[in-house]
Amino acid sequence: MDIRLHNTLTREKQVFSPENPQRVTMYVCGPTVWSYAHIGNARPPVAFDVLFRLLQMKYGAAHVVYAANITDVDDKIIAAAAETGRPVGEITALYETIYREDMGALGVTEPTYRPHATDHIAGMIEIIQTLIDKGHAYAGRDGVLFDVPSMADYGKLSGRNRDEMIAGARVEVDGGKKDPADFALWKAAKPGEPAEARWDSPWGEGRPGWHIECSAMAKAVLGETIDIHAGGLDLIFPHHENEIAQSECAHGKPMARYWLHNGFLSIDSEKMSKSIGNVKLVHDLLKHYDGETMRLALMSAHYRQPLDWTESLLDQSKTTLDRLYNALRRMDVEAEDTGAPKGVVAALCDDLNTPQALAELSALATEANKSEAADWPRLKGQMLAAGRLLGLLHKNPEDWARGDASDAKRIDALVAQRIDARQQKDFAAADQIRKALAEEGIEIMDGPQGSTWRRV
């Protein structure tokens, strides 16, 4: 079955065909490790983890090479070091560890490579020198700049016109630019900046610009042309546009053949913003919600579409997982070694349609709840195989059922509401609660001593 992906570069959905099926390459822009990741930062790792799993299923795990970088030198990191008085390396090591633990809790597979920017400074300098030699870059007062007008098709990824590009480039009037759209490849060190955030170069001490980092790291671990480059919608311009400019002008070939971008995440229908005070950190959310619940919530909308993060979304995701695990718990048999169901695979092959894949998985749970024991090995195997592809259902169903005291309180409250509805002779409301709980695999038992419940 062909995998079809929406390519931002061509603005259409295309059949994915790797340059070399024996070495399928993917690069996803990773975090700048200066603080905690917010929930919006988690959407690309989860979305493209599903793609990683799908590619491994199709081409074989040994034939897919996936890199997600760590940016461990940046203005924000230097500012954090100055503000806290801690060494740069201490800050980046701390927040990288937290980031990887938090993403692991969301079921994100560790990539094949996690290149660090500070390990690839020499490669960045080499590319910058090549760009200067080819007439695509020049030394300015504050470092080295890329000469945007020297690239005839600059802007092909974002499709922005020149005015939009200049506005988006955050122009510095005193940077020694030849053109307002030019951007930094190498930044000259400023007085007072820590020694561990500056390196020697042919243009004096300094550090790389943000964009050149990914060009160098992608080349080093994957090659000059890669199959898939992915990240958030906010990276199309200027970051990915500038990566294309650097890499293609230096190497004379495409940087990536397919460009994928996930949509934005809002909080209760509002843009996430420090000024509003609605920034949700993954590290904090994991104190209140299971990582698998958060993963399912992130996959509940198509990766290219906006996602509104709400408590009701998390509650619904938890309810969905309860129902799936209850179906597995009911099928107390050994699972058959089946492949992932065709419906789930077809949905994911259609530009990672996770909502449809989850609907297919839910339909399997419905079938399992209605089936005879003879069908359980097959159905259980299909559910678990679908779960592996989606990064779900990796826990023991009994542990899932026991591990959530808060859910037991929720069910107790619903049972109490039903009792109250019956006393008020509102039998329609009472039946609705019974039906809703039955869909979760919860059986209500009425007796002389009152009503109790159990998972079935």
Side-chain angles (χ1 to χ4, degrees):
M1 189 180 298
D2 287 335
I3 297 173
R4 296 175 63 83
L5 301 172
H6 186 274
N7 189 347
T8 306
L9 185 64
T10 61
R11 294 161 180 77
E12 64 180 3
K13 196 185 295 185
Q14 297 176 292
V15 173
F16 174 67
S17 178
E19 192 168 32
N20 177 8
Q22 298 300 306
R23 191 175 187 269
V24 182
T25 52
M26 179 169 74
Y27 185 97
V28 176
C29 286
T32 299
V33 284
W34 68 282
S35 186
Y36 295 99
H38 59 66
I39 189 61
N41 299 140
R43 198 173 187 195
V46 169
F48 301 120
D49 178 65
V50 175
L51 179 55
F52 183 36
R53 292 166 185 263
L54 181 65
L55 293 171
Q56 287 181 310
M57 185 199 73
K58 183 171 178 65
Y59 297 99
H63 302 299
V64 182
V65 187
Y66 170 29
N69 71 290
I70 297 289
T71 293
D72 55 353
V73 55
D74 180 86
D75 292 346
K76 290 181 179 178
I77 296 171
I78 293 171
E83 183 178 341
T84 63
R86 290 186 293 172
V88 166
E90 182 181 311
I91 291 171
T92 57
L94 170 65
Y95 288 111
E96 179 184 349
T97 298
I98 292 170
Y99 175 83
R100 293 172 74 162
E101 289 175 349
D102 288 350
M103 293 307 109
L106 299 182
V108 174
T109 311
E110 268 296 305
T112 317
Y113 297 106
R114 275 210 187 272
H116 290 62
T118 54
D119 293 332
H120 292 271
I121 302 297
M124 298 175 204
I125 291 173
E126 181 182 345
I127 293 174
I128 294 169
Q129 186 62 61
T130 298
L131 290 169
I132 291 174
D133 294 344
K134 290 187 173 184
H136 292 293
Y138 59 93
R141 289 196 299 272
D142 297 332
V144 180
L145 295 149
F146 184 88
D147 185 359
V148 167
S150 73
M151 183 181 184
D153 58 352
Y154 181 86
K156 61 185 176 182
L157 181 68
S158 64
R160 294 190 178 204
N161 62 39
R162 179 168 173 79
D163 289 342
E164 290 174 323
M165 288 190 289
I166 293 172
R170 289 180 254 177
V171 180
E172 297 172 10
V173 295
D174 61 347
K177 293 183 178 184
K178 292 181 179 179
D179 187 274
D182 294 350
F183 58 88
L185 299 171
W186 186 262
K187 296 182 176 183
K190 297 176 182 177
E193 290 183 337
E196 57 182 327
R198 60 173 72 194
W199 289 264
D200 289 329
S201 81
W203 317 285
E205 278 196 339
R207 63 182 184 280
W210 174 36
H211 314 301
I212 196 67
E213 295 178 4
C214 287
S215 287
M217 288 185 279
K219 175 191 175 186
V221 299
L222 300 179
E224 292 183 350
T225 297
I226 61 179
D227 289 312
I228 297 170
H229 196 319
L233 194 64
D234 57 316
L235 296 183
I236 294 176
F237 187 87
H239 187 49
H240 287 169
E241 196 78 78
N242 291 349
E243 283 186 51
I244 288 174
Q246 297 159 165
S247 295
E248 296 190 2
C249 288
H251 307 139
K253 59 183 70 173
M255 181 185 185
R257 302 169 63 246
Y258 300 83
W259 289 83
L260 275 61
H261 295 92
N262 63 272
F264 291 119
L265 182 146
S266 58
I267 304 292
D268 294 320
S269 301
E270 290 188 307
K271 181 179 179 181
M272 199 174 352
S273 168
K274 287 183 179 179
S275 61
I276 298 175
N278 65 348
V279 176
K280 303 289 186 182
L281 302 178
V282 176
H283 199 69
D284 291 340
L285 286 166
L286 284 168
K287 297 173 185 176
H288 305 284
Y289 299 97
D290 181 84
E292 192 170 351
T293 298
M294 291 170 58
R295 181 184 179 94
L296 193 148
L298 287 165
M299 295 192 297
S300 63
H302 189 280
Y303 81 97
R304 292 180 55 230
Q305 299 303 315
L307 173 65
D308 191 28
W309 189 263
T310 64
E311 282 194 24
S312 62
L313 172 64
L314 287 161
D315 290 342
Q316 180 57 50
S317 299
K318 175 63 170 60
T319 298
T320 298
L321 282 169
D322 284 342
R323 182 170 177 271
L324 295 174
Y325 272 112
N326 284 336
L328 290 175
R329 185 167 169 265
R330 178 172 179 263
M331 295 185 289
D332 189 19
V333 295
E334 287 294 320
E336 285 184 5
D337 186 13
T338 67
K342 289 183 179 179
V344 174
V345 175
L348 295 181
C349 284
D350 183 18
D351 196 29
L352 303 182
N353 190 341
T354 53
Q356 181 59 38
L358 291 169
E360 295 285 341
L361 178 55
S362 180
L364 277 175
T366 298
E367 184 180 354
N369 286 332
K370 295 179 179 179
S371 67
E372 301 295 332
D375 295 322
W376 289 355
R378 171 184 61 84
L379 289 167
K380 188 173 185 178
Q382 288 180 334
M383 286 187 67
L384 291 174
R388 285 192 294 272
L389 196 50
L390 290 163
L392 301 172
L393 303 181
H394 50 84
K395 296 177 181 174
N396 184 302
E398 294 291 343
D399 292 340
W400 178 270
R402 284 193 300 265
D404 194 352
S406 64
D407 197 49
K409 291 180 181 178
R410 178 183 67 85
I411 296 168
D412 287 340
L414 287 170
V415 172
Q417 288 178 28
R418 178 177 174 272
I419 292 170
D420 184 61
R422 294 181 72 192
Q423 289 173 346
Q424 300 297 323
K425 300 190 184 302
D426 187 354
F427 298 112
D431 287 344
Q432 186 176 4
I433 293 171
R434 176 190 281 276
K435 183 179 178 181
L437 288 173
E439 289 177 354
E440 294 183 39
I442 307 298
E443 179 184 2
I444 297 178
M445 297 167 288
D446 298 318
Q449 305 301 318
S451 298
T452 58
W453 60 270
R454 68 176 181 179
R455 299 186 187 275
V456 295

PDB file of all heavy atoms in Angstrom, residues 270-284:
ATOM      1  N   GLU A 270      -7.823  29.631  22.421  1.00  0.00           N
ATOM      2  CA  GLU A 270      -6.970  30.816  22.408  1.00  0.00           C
ATOM      3  C   GLU A 270      -5.537  30.408  22.073  1.00  0.00           C
ATOM      4  O   GLU A 270      -5.085  29.316  22.424  1.00  0.00           O
ATOM      5  CB  GLU A 270      -6.968  31.526  23.762  1.00  0.00           C
ATOM      6  CG  GLU A 270      -8.280  32.207  24.104  1.00  0.00           C
ATOM      7  CD  GLU A 270      -8.144  33.055  25.353  1.00  0.00           C
ATOM      8  OE1 GLU A 270      -7.685  32.516  26.381  1.00  0.00           O
ATOM      9  OE2 GLU A 270      -8.496  34.239  25.305  1.00  0.00           O
ATOM     10  N   LYS A 271      -4.834  31.300  21.402  1.00  0.00           N
ATOM     11  CA  LYS A 271      -3.435  31.060  21.101  1.00  0.00           C
ATOM     12  C   LYS A 271      -2.642  30.952  22.403  1.00  0.00           C
ATOM     13  O   LYS A 271      -2.860  31.731  23.334  1.00  0.00           O
ATOM     14  CB  LYS A 271      -2.870  32.205  20.250  1.00  0.00           C
ATOM     15  CG  LYS A 271      -1.420  32.029  19.859  1.00  0.00           C
ATOM     16  CD  LYS A 271      -0.944  33.188  18.996  1.00  0.00           C
ATOM     17  CE  LYS A 271       0.521  33.026  18.626  1.00  0.00           C
ATOM     18  NZ  LYS A 271       1.010  34.165  17.802  1.00  0.00           N
ATOM     19  N   MET A 272      -1.738  29.965  22.471  1.00  0.00           N
ATOM     20  CA  MET A 272      -0.918  29.824  23.666  1.00  0.00           C
ATOM     21  C   MET A 272       0.055  30.994  23.753  1.00  0.00           C
ATOM     22  O   MET A 272       0.774  31.289  22.802  1.00  0.00           O
ATOM     23  CB  MET A 272      -0.142  28.495  23.624  1.00  0.00           C
ATOM     24  CG  MET A 272       0.348  28.086  24.979  1.00  0.00           C
ATOM     25  SD  MET A 272       1.132  26.444  25.072  1.00  0.00           S
ATOM     26  CE  MET A 272       0.857  25.699  23.500  1.00  0.00           C
ATOM     27  N   SER A 273       0.071  31.678  24.894  1.00  0.00           N
ATOM     28  CA  SER A 273       0.884  32.882  25.024  1.00  0.00           C
ATOM     29  C   SER A 273       1.225  33.128  26.488  1.00  0.00           C
ATOM     30  O   SER A 273       0.368  32.986  27.365  1.00  0.00           O
ATOM     31  CB  SER A 273       0.134  34.087  24.444  1.00  0.00           C
ATOM     32  OG  SER A 273       0.760  35.295  24.786  1.00  0.00           O
ATOM     33  N   LYS A 274       2.454  33.524  26.735  1.00  0.00           N
ATOM     34  CA  LYS A 274       2.858  33.886  28.096  1.00  0.00           C
ATOM     35  C   LYS A 274       2.064  35.091  28.598  1.00  0.00           C
ATOM     36  O   LYS A 274       1.734  35.176  29.782  1.00  0.00           O
ATOM     37  CB  LYS A 274       4.354  34.195  28.141  1.00  0.00           C
ATOM     38  CG  LYS A 274       5.242  32.971  28.027  1.00  0.00           C
ATOM     39  CD  LYS A 274       6.707  33.350  28.153  1.00  0.00           C
ATOM     40  CE  LYS A 274       7.604  32.124  28.069  1.00  0.00           C
ATOM     41  NZ  LYS A 274       9.047  32.487  28.164  1.00  0.00           N
ATOM     42  N   SER A 275       1.745  36.008  27.695  1.00  0.00           N
ATOM     43  CA  SER A 275       1.019  37.206  28.115  1.00  0.00           C
ATOM     44  C   SER A 275      -0.389  36.866  28.584  1.00  0.00           C
ATOM     45  O   SER A 275      -0.922  37.507  29.488  1.00  0.00           O
ATOM     46  CB  SER A 275       0.953  38.219  26.968  1.00  0.00           C
ATOM     47  OG  SER A 275       0.257  37.675  25.853  1.00  0.00           O
ATOM     48  N   ILE A 276      -0.989  35.837  27.967  1.00  0.00           N
ATOM     49  CA  ILE A 276      -2.316  35.391  28.400  1.00  0.00           C
ATOM     50  C   ILE A 276      -2.200  34.520  29.646  1.00  0.00           C
ATOM     51  O   ILE A 276      -3.119  34.443  30.465  1.00  0.00           O
ATOM     52  CB  ILE A 276      -3.022  34.616  27.262  1.00  0.00           C
ATOM     53  CG1 ILE A 276      -3.221  35.524  26.051  1.00  0.00           C
ATOM     54  CG2 ILE A 276      -4.356  34.044  27.709  1.00  0.00           C
ATOM     55  CD1 ILE A 276      -3.797  34.812  24.836  1.00  0.00           C
ATOM     56  N   GLY A 277      -1.060  33.859  29.785  1.00  0.00           N
ATOM     57  CA  GLY A 277      -0.848  32.981  30.936  1.00  0.00           C
ATOM     58  C   GLY A 277      -1.435  31.598  30.750  1.00  0.00           C
ATOM     59  O   GLY A 277      -1.776  30.927  31.730  1.00  0.00           O
ATOM     60  N   ASN A 278      -1.550  31.154  29.487  1.00  0.00           N
ATOM     61  CA  ASN A 278      -2.171  29.857  29.232  1.00  0.00           C
ATOM     62  C   ASN A 278      -1.193  28.832  28.658  1.00  0.00           C
ATOM     63  O   ASN A 278      -1.604  27.870  28.001  1.00  0.00           O
ATOM     64  CB  ASN A 278      -3.371  30.015  28.287  1.00  0.00           C
ATOM     65  CG  ASN A 278      -2.961  30.494  26.900  1.00  0.00           C
ATOM     66  OD1 ASN A 278      -1.825  30.922  26.680  1.00  0.00           O
ATOM     67  ND2 ASN A 278      -3.888  30.420  25.958  1.00  0.00           N
ATOM     68  N   VAL A 279       0.095  29.051  28.880  1.00  0.00           N
ATOM     69  CA  VAL A 279       1.095  28.100  28.392  1.00  0.00           C
ATOM     70  C   VAL A 279       1.036  26.822  29.245  1.00  0.00           C
ATOM     71  O   VAL A 279       1.142  26.881  30.477  1.00  0.00           O
ATOM     72  CB  VAL A 279       2.509  28.710  28.446  1.00  0.00           C
ATOM     73  CG1 VAL A 279       3.552  27.671  28.033  1.00  0.00           C
ATOM     74  CG2 VAL A 279       2.586  29.933  27.539  1.00  0.00           C
ATOM     75  N   LYS A 280       0.858  25.694  28.584  1.00  0.00           N
ATOM     76  CA  LYS A 280       0.764  24.396  29.261  1.00  0.00           C
ATOM     77  C   LYS A 280       2.047  23.609  29.016  1.00  0.00           C
ATOM     78  O   LYS A 280       2.351  23.256  27.867  1.00  0.00           O
ATOM     79  CB  LYS A 280      -0.434  23.597  28.745  1.00  0.00           C
ATOM     80  CG  LYS A 280      -1.778  24.305  28.869  1.00  0.00           C
ATOM     81  CD  LYS A 280      -2.230  24.398  30.315  1.00  0.00           C
ATOM     82  CE  LYS A 280      -3.646  24.972  30.398  1.00  0.00           C
ATOM     83  NZ  LYS A 280      -4.094  25.124  31.796  1.00  0.00           N
ATOM     84  N   LEU A 281       2.801  23.351  30.064  1.00  0.00           N
ATOM     85  CA  LEU A 281       4.051  22.622  29.946  1.00  0.00           C
ATOM     86  C   LEU A 281       3.794  21.120  30.009  1.00  0.00           C
ATOM     87  O   LEU A 281       3.016  20.646  30.844  1.00  0.00           O
ATOM     88  CB  LEU A 281       5.012  23.028  31.055  1.00  0.00           C
ATOM     89  CG  LEU A 281       5.365  24.516  31.136  1.00  0.00           C
ATOM     90  CD1 LEU A 281       6.295  24.764  32.317  1.00  0.00           C
ATOM     91  CD2 LEU A 281       5.999  25.008  29.836  1.00  0.00           C
ATOM     92  N   VAL A 282       4.460  20.365  29.134  1.00  0.00           N
ATOM     93  CA  VAL A 282       4.306  18.910  29.132  1.00  0.00           C
ATOM     94  C   VAL A 282       4.658  18.345  30.502  1.00  0.00           C
ATOM     95  O   VAL A 282       3.970  17.472  31.030  1.00  0.00           O
ATOM     96  CB  VAL A 282       5.194  18.276  28.042  1.00  0.00           C
ATOM     97  CG1 VAL A 282       5.108  16.745  28.093  1.00  0.00           C
ATOM     98  CG2 VAL A 282       4.794  18.778  26.660  1.00  0.00           C
ATOM     99  N   HIS A 283       5.721  18.854  31.090  1.00  0.00           N
ATOM    100  CA  HIS A 283       6.206  18.347  32.378  1.00  0.00           C
ATOM    101  C   HIS A 283       5.142  18.489  33.463  1.00  0.00           C
ATOM    102  O   HIS A 283       4.978  17.600  34.314  1.00  0.00           O
ATOM    103  CB  HIS A 283       7.472  19.113  32.776  1.00  0.00           C
ATOM    104  CG  HIS A 283       8.310  18.423  33.800  1.00  0.00           C
ATOM    105  ND1 HIS A 283       9.005  17.247  33.527  1.00  0.00           N
ATOM    106  CD2 HIS A 283       8.564  18.715  35.099  1.00  0.00           C
ATOM    107  CE1 HIS A 283       9.652  16.876  34.615  1.00  0.00           C
ATOM    108  NE2 HIS A 283       9.394  17.730  35.578  1.00  0.00           N
ATOM    109  N   ASP A 284       4.405  19.589  33.436  1.00  0.00           N
ATOM    110  CA  ASP A 284       3.343  19.804  34.426  1.00  0.00           C
ATOM    111  C   ASP A 284       2.108  18.970  34.112  1.00  0.00           C
ATOM    112  O   ASP A 284       1.487  18.399  35.021  1.00  0.00           O
ATOM    113  CB  ASP A 284       2.970  21.287  34.475  1.00  0.00           C
ATOM    114  CG  ASP A 284       4.066  22.160  35.068  1.00  0.00           C
ATOM    115  OD1 ASP A 284       4.937  21.608  35.778  1.00  0.00           O
ATOM    116  OD2 ASP A 284       4.065  23.374  34.811  1.00  0.00           O
TER     117      ASP A 284
END
